[in-house]
Amino acid sequence: MRFALVIFETDESRRRIQADRAAYRKEYEGWIGGLAAAGKLVGGEALETERFRPATVRTAADGTPVVTDGPAHAGEETLGGWFVIEVADREEAVEVARSLPTPETVEIRPVLESA
């Protein structure tokens, strides 16, 4: 089964990145490399979270698109990227997410299989 691991940066992960970006990146890339070596990593992307603010487009009740400056959901956690993994089941996806050595929040979502 395929699952998306949706990564949300936290205040703590941002502090660690700013304190020592190279060490943080090495830790993160080691985790990714382990997933790839085990044949579980399908793909993924990191999002730019430091230099540019996101924009959000919502459709108003009258059908008009409204653009706001900032994330769709404001708060401590910031959408940082995602990985798609191929594992046996949800329990294994949870274990993979638990093995992330850095303090991001990980939301686990099954990927919709097309009919």
Side-chain angles (χ1 to χ4, degrees), residues 2-79:
R2 288 186 178 193
F3 288 85
L5 304 182
V6 184
I7 309 296
F8 293 90
E9 293 180 356
T10 62
D11 287 344
E12 177 60 24
S13 67
R14 283 187 289 275
R15 276 192 290 279
R16 287 181 54 188
I17 290 167
Q18 292 166 356
D20 190 344
R21 184 176 303 275
Y24 194 87
R25 190 168 181 93
K26 183 177 180 180
E27 190 174 17
Y28 211 90
E29 288 175 352
W31 179 76
I32 296 166
L35 290 177
K40 295 178 183 183
L41 182 65
V42 175
E45 294 290 339
L47 299 175
E48 169 58 59
T49 60
E50 293 184 29
R51 294 183 296 162
F52 302 100
R53 288 186 46 80
T56 299
V57 178
R58 286 194 171 87
T59 303
D62 67 0
T64 305
V66 177
V67 180
T68 55
D69 185 36
H73 303 284
E76 174 199 339
E77 297 176 330
T78 304
L79 180 59

Side-chain angles (χ1 to χ4, degrees), residues 94-107:
V94 169
E95 287 307 310
V96 168
R98 289 179 57 156
S99 72
L100 179 67
T102 56
E104 286 83 10
T105 297
V106 181
E107 184 172 318

